Amino acid sequence: MLCIIFLVALEYFYITHTIIKSSTMKQKVAGTLFIALMCSCSVINICQSLTINGCKLREILRKFSEIDQIFSSNVYRSLIYKNTRLLLTLQFATVILVVIIIRVLLAYVMKGYLTFPHILGALLLSVPTLVNCTAILHFVNLVLQLRNKYKYLNSVLESSALTTCNVTISEYCNTNYVTPIDTFRTKPSFNEQRGYRNYSRRQHFRNLRIIYSQLHDVALLMNSTYGFSLLCATVWVFSCVIPTANYLIETKPTNINGHILTTVLWSNFFVALIGFMALSCGLAINECNRSPVIVQKIMLRDDIDSEVMKELVIMFTQFKAMKIGFSACGIYRIDLPFICDIIGGIFSYIIVVSQLEA
């Protein structure tokens, strides 16, 4: 609550004491829009994390924990959670450092000198930016975890495609062939061994189908949880780039070098942030789309039992139906082509505005 009050007070102070003093109406409108959207998005992210998103996040983590229990192996944990804490620390440290440096540099270029109030103002203005960046990084890391789980499931499928049918796959099968009574019996016949191997493979593929269904549920839950946050993040990025582009176009030649530097750094940072978000979603989607292709390769084998083939057909149908996708409240998709749309929109705005100014 204190953080929300601080953000609202910061928005009011900055609009009334800084933006109103801007020289042109375009700068006033763009600056007001920038501060209003930045603080509003940060307030929305804080409120969602304290209310709806908090409950849904616990549900996402619970589903991840259930999947981890099924994939309970040292290889799985080393691949999924290797250096996770180090990567998270590097991400947040880099974002904090870059935001503070760009804010201080921007204050210096606009004023021509730096004083303690300028530095303090730059640090205070970095707070809502860091809140929004934290929400984006939180979503990105969850998507990357989802992608890693899809990747491990695909690796298990690929190993199944390479394993011959005379080898029993019992890693995900909950039954054991040899029981205490069986130890006093004779060695099972060839047909009994073959029947158990086929049963083991069917159980193996069925368990993979269950895991795939759980991953699909997690993806849907993540999309419903962070859909509005993704919409706010996109609008916020455009509201951050537009004022800097306007200021650069209207800058006098004497200050053009410094403003070009800050504009390029500021724009690249936000494009990289949105690009990182779209890239993570694209990687997860592509990894999910690989699963039906791998199943088709398994079905092309000549040594597949008819009952196992039926299970594979069901698996292929399920995988084709349970494709994932991420969108901003269903308005537009967040994937790899979205990066090109963002960059194209920014350049189009800069070109059109520069032509109108000329």
Side-chain angles (χ1 to χ4, degrees):
M1 184 61 66
L2 292 177
C3 188
I4 295 176
I5 296 174
F6 167 77
L7 292 173
V8 174
L10 178 64
E11 176 184 356
Y12 175 79
F13 174 81
Y14 195 83
I15 291 177
T16 55
H17 290 78
T18 304
I19 297 178
I20 300 301
K21 298 179 182 179
S22 301
S23 57
T24 63
M25 180 59 66
K26 186 187 298 184
Q27 292 180 1
K28 292 179 181 179
V29 173
T32 303
L33 183 65
F34 157 63
I35 292 296
L37 288 176
M38 181 179 65
C39 294
S40 299
C41 289
S42 59
V43 170
I44 290 172
N45 287 325
I46 293 174
C47 292
Q48 284 189 331
S49 62
L50 294 177
T51 56
I52 302 175
N53 286 8
C55 299
K56 290 186 176 181
L57 178 60
R58 287 191 292 270
E59 182 67 16
I60 293 173
L61 296 178
R62 186 186 65 80
K63 290 181 178 294
F64 273 162
S65 178
E66 292 178 355
I67 297 172
D68 291 340
Q69 291 177 1
I70 300 176
F71 279 142
S72 57
S73 65
N74 294 329
V75 177
Y76 167 76
R77 296 190 179 276
S78 63
L79 290 176
I80 301 299
Y81 298 108
K82 184 179 181 180
N83 299 326
T84 301
R85 184 175 300 178
L86 177 61
L87 292 176
L88 289 175
T89 304
L90 289 177
Q91 288 177 14
F92 286 99
T94 302
V95 168
I96 293 173
L97 185 63
V98 171
V99 169
I100 292 177
I101 290 176
I102 294 178
R103 278 295 180 188
V104 174
L105 182 62
L106 186 61
Y108 173 75
V109 171
M110 293 180 64
K111 301 296 182 180
Y113 57 91
L114 278 180
T115 60
F116 179 76
H118 295 156
I119 297 176
L120 181 61
L123 295 178
L124 293 177
L125 204 58
S126 300
V127 173
T129 304
L130 293 176
V131 171
N132 295 331
C133 292
T134 301
I136 294 176
L137 290 180
H138 194 269
F139 168 76
V140 165
N141 284 281
L142 286 177
V143 173
L144 290 178
Q145 283 294 321
L146 181 67
R147 180 250 181 181
N148 290 336
K149 296 179 190 301
Y150 272 114
K151 186 176 181 180
Y152 186 80
L153 184 143
N154 288 335
S155 67
V156 174
L157 277 175
E158 289 174 340
S159 65
S160 302
L162 298 175
T163 304
T164 58
C165 282
N166 57 2
V167 177
T168 302
I169 301 175
S170 58
E171 182 179 358
Y172 303 103
C173 190
N174 296 324
T175 60
N176 294 319
Y177 187 81
V178 179
T179 63
I181 299 178
D182 292 331
T183 56
F184 298 98
R185 295 179 181 176
T186 59
K187 184 178 180 180
S189 64
F190 175 78
N191 291 331
E192 290 176 336
Q193 292 181 9
R194 182 178 179 181
Y196 174 71
R197 284 195 295 266
N198 291 332
Y199 170 77
S200 176
R201 291 178 70 86
R202 291 197 303 270
Q203 187 68 25
H204 168 72
F205 291 127
R206 184 178 183 278
N207 288 336
L208 291 181
R209 286 177 50 212
I210 294 173
I211 296 173
Y212 196 93
S213 176
Q214 291 176 333
L215 291 175
H216 181 261
D217 292 341
V218 172
L220 292 180
L221 186 58
M222 290 172 58
N223 204 20
S224 64
T225 303
Y226 294 95
F228 189 67
S229 297
L230 297 179
L231 178 62
C232 292
T234 309
V235 176
W236 167 61
V237 166
F238 272 105
S239 70
C240 291
V241 175
I242 288 174
T244 54
N246 287 335
Y247 202 83
L248 175 63
I249 294 172
E250 299 175 358
T251 302
K252 298 180 180 179
T254 54
N255 299 325
I256 193 66
N257 292 330
H259 287 290
I260 288 178
L261 176 63
T262 54
T263 300
V264 170
L265 291 176
W266 194 244
S267 301
N268 287 340
F269 170 74
F270 285 108
V271 171
L273 191 64
I274 291 294
F276 190 34
M277 180 180 71
L279 179 63
S280 62
C281 294
L283 291 175
I285 294 172
N286 292 339
E287 201 64 45
C288 176
N289 293 337
R290 284 184 58 229
S291 300
V293 179
I294 299 174
V295 175
Q296 281 292 318
K297 292 181 179 180
I298 300 175
M299 295 171 65
L300 292 175
R301 293 174 58 95
D302 296 330
D303 54 349
I304 298 295
D305 181 74
S306 60
E307 295 297 325
V308 177
M309 182 63 72
K310 292 180 182 178
E311 188 69 30
L312 290 173
V313 172
I314 297 174
M315 174 182 281
F316 177 76
T317 305
Q318 175 188 349
F319 285 6
K320 290 289 290 183
M322 289 186 171
K323 290 185 177 181
I324 64 173
F326 301 95
S327 65
C329 295
I331 300 176
Y332 50 84
R333 294 177 61 87
I334 307 295
D335 49 15
L336 293 177
F338 180 68
I339 303 177
C340 299
D341 296 338
I342 289 289
I343 298 176
I346 293 173
F347 275 105
S348 298
Y349 175 83
I350 295 175
I351 293 173
V352 170
V353 174
S354 61
Q355 291 294 326
L356 292 177
E357 291 295 330

